[in-house]
Amino acid sequence: MIDEYVPGLEGIPATKSSISALDGAKGILSYRGYRIEDLAKGSTFEEVSYLLLKGELPKANDLALFSDQLHEGSRVKYNVREIMKFLPPTGDPMKMLQTAVASLGMFYPHEQQNSELATKNNDYINCLSLEIIARMSTLVAMWEQMRRGDDPFLPREELSYAANFLYMMSGKEPDPVAEKIMDTSLILHAEHTINASTFAALVAGSTLANPSLVISAAIGTLAGPLHGGANQRVIEMLQEIGEPSKAAAWLDNRLKNKQVVWGMGHREYSVKDPRATILQGLMQELIESKDGEVSPLFETALALEKACEARLAPKGVFPNVDFYSGILYREMGLPGDQFTPIFAISRTVGWLAHWQEQVRENRIFRPTQIYVGSEVRDFKPMAER
C-alpha cells in the first residue's frame, strides 16, 4: 500500500499515452512525434486535429473529407440556442460554454449512447469527437453575438476553421494575417500532455460518461483560475502598467514584492516555451502588417518583454504561450473574457484524443487516500452527548 502523500499527484504517472510529449529542459513539444514548430509552420488546425485524433497525418483526400465533416457539423440546433438565450448576458463565457456543451448530448441522439460502444467502433468514436470539435467554435462565437443582443452569424463552408471562427465572432471575414495567427494559436493550444483539465477528461471518460459530459468536465476544470485565464490576466497586467516607459519600474516592484508576473515562466519548462517563440514571430508579422502601427498596450507588452528578458531570463524564467496569445487576441479585437473559451475550442481536440485512448483500454479511476481522521469510536445518542 502506498503511504506517501504527493500533493497534486505531482510527478505521478496517471496514464500511458502516445498523443504528445514534452521535454521541459530542452524546450521540445511534439504531437504524435512531430515537433510543434514544424506543425505550426507547415500545417493547419484541421490537419493537426486529424493527427491528434487518428494518430497519423492525413493525405489530401482524407483531410478534405475531414474538413467537410467539420463544416457539416458546425451548425447548432436551435434548442441549444434557446438555452443560451436565457443565460445572463453578463455571465462568464466559460460557464456558458460548459452549460451548452453539456446540453449537446440531449439534442443529438447518437451522443446519448454509452461510450462503451466507442471501444468497439472507431468510426463511431471519431464521429462523436469530430462533431463536438465542429460545434465548439460555433458555440463560443454564438455567445459573443447573443450577449450583445444580436443574432449569431451562420458558419460559412468556404472558410477554414480558424477563419470561420473569426468571421462568426465579428461578421467580417478576417485578413490572411489574422487567420494565420488564429490558426497557429489553435494548433499551439490543442494539446499539452496530462494537465488538470485533461486529467479531468480522463477521469470522466473512465466512467463511460458520454463525450459531451467529458468535455464539459474538462471545461469546468479549465475555468479554474489556477489553470486557464492567464492570457486574460496578461492584458489586465499590461493595463495596470499603463505606459511602455513604466514597464521596467513596474516589474522591479512586482519582483520585489514576490508577485506573479503573468505570462512568464512555466511549470514544465526550464527554458523558453517553444509555443511562445512561435507566437513571438507572429507578433512581428502582425506589426509589419500594420506598418508598425500598434496599440499603446502592445507597445507596453514589448517593453515589458524586454525588461523581463534582462531580469528573468538569467533565472530561467521566460515568456510562455499565454503572454503572447493574449496580446495577439486583443490586437485582433477579441474580448478578454473570450480568451479562455478560445483555449477550450483548441484544447477540445486534445481532450477528445485522450478520451479516445482512455475508453479503448478503459479502467475506471479509483485513487486511494491517506486517512488522517479519528480512530473508530462509539456512537452516542443525542441525549448522551
Side-chain angles (χ1 to χ4, degrees), residues 212-289:
S212 296
L213 297 180
V214 170
I215 299 307
S216 179
I219 291 169
T221 307
L222 181 63
L226 295 184
H227 190 8
N231 50 11
Q232 183 178 350
R233 291 186 180 87
V234 169
I235 300 303
E236 295 167 355
M237 177 180 71
L238 296 174
Q239 291 170 334
E240 179 184 327
I241 295 171
E243 300 175 7
S245 61
K246 297 179 179 179
W250 180 92
L251 178 61
D252 288 337
N253 184 66
R254 194 82 169 179
L255 296 176
K256 179 182 177 181
N257 293 318
K258 298 182 179 181
Q259 294 174 292
V260 174
V261 181
W262 294 106
M264 291 292 160
H266 193 287
R267 185 171 178 173
E268 296 294 334
Y269 295 106
S270 55
V271 296
K272 191 168 184 177
D273 185 335
R275 300 168 298 174
T277 301
I278 296 167
L279 290 176
Q280 187 174 13
L282 291 177
M283 283 177 62
Q284 189 57 43
E285 289 187 33
L286 183 62
I287 292 172
E288 293 172 1
S289 73

Side-chain angles (χ1 to χ4, degrees), residues 22 33 59 108 118 126 163 169 200 222 232 236 242 247 252 261 274 298 304 347:
L22 66 87
K59 295 180 180 180
Y108 296 88
N126 284 322
M169 285 287 285
L222 181 63
Q232 183 178 350
E236 295 167 355
D252 288 337
V261 181
F298 202 39
L304 179 60
R347 186 55 60 84

Side-chain angles (χ1 to χ4, degrees), residues 285-342:
E285 289 187 33
L286 183 62
I287 292 172
E288 293 172 1
S289 73
K290 295 186 175 185
D291 297 323
E293 295 183 8
V294 295
S295 71
L297 202 66
F298 202 39
E299 294 177 343
T300 301
L302 297 175
L304 179 60
E305 177 193 343
K306 185 175 181 180
C308 287
E309 182 178 353
R311 293 159 176 79
L312 297 178
K315 300 178 181 179
V317 178
F318 299 90
N320 60 44
V321 69
D322 294 312
F323 185 83
Y324 296 103
S325 62
I327 300 165
L328 289 166
Y329 291 162
R330 187 183 186 280
E331 289 298 304
M332 290 191 292
L334 296 169
D337 64 353
Q338 289 279 35
F339 293 175
T340 307
I342 294 171

Side-chain angles (χ1 to χ4, degrees), residues 108-260:
Y108 296 88
H110 62 278
E111 289 187 7
Q112 296 180 40
Q113 300 298 318
N114 191 300
S115 296
E116 190 171 2
L117 292 176
T119 66
K120 304 173 184 177
N121 189 327
N122 284 339
D123 290 337
Y124 178 77
I125 193 173
N126 284 322
C127 177
L128 291 180
S129 299
L130 191 146
E131 290 188 359
I132 292 175
I133 294 166
R135 294 175 186 130
M136 285 292 293
S137 61
T138 305
L139 290 171
V140 173
M142 282 173 60
W143 182 248
E144 186 57 32
Q145 298 305 317
M146 292 175 68
R147 66 177 179 172
R148 299 175 184 176
D150 297 327
D151 286 329
F153 295 102
L154 294 177
R156 288 168 47 182
E157 293 184 2
E158 74 275 14
L159 298 179
S160 69
Y161 191 97
N164 219 346
F165 171 65
L166 291 175
Y167 164 72
M168 290 188 292
M169 285 287 285
S170 67
K172 299 177 182 178
E173 187 172 336
D175 62 53
V177 174
E179 179 181 0
K180 179 180 179 181
I181 290 172
M182 180 52 61
D183 188 72
T184 303
S185 295
L186 292 174
I187 291 172
L188 299 180
H189 287 90
E191 165 63 8
H192 206 245
T193 71
I194 307 300
N195 45 73
S197 56
T198 301
F199 186 51
L202 288 174
V203 174
S206 77
T207 70
L208 298 185
N210 85 49
S212 296
L213 297 180
V214 170
I215 299 307
S216 179
I219 291 169
T221 307
L222 181 63
L226 295 184
H227 190 8
N231 50 11
Q232 183 178 350
R233 291 186 180 87
V234 169
I235 300 303
E236 295 167 355
M237 177 180 71
L238 296 174
Q239 291 170 334
E240 179 184 327
I241 295 171
E243 300 175 7
S245 61
K246 297 179 179 179
W250 180 92
L251 178 61
D252 288 337
N253 184 66
R254 194 82 169 179
L255 296 176
K256 179 182 177 181
N257 293 318
K258 298 182 179 181
Q259 294 174 292
V260 174

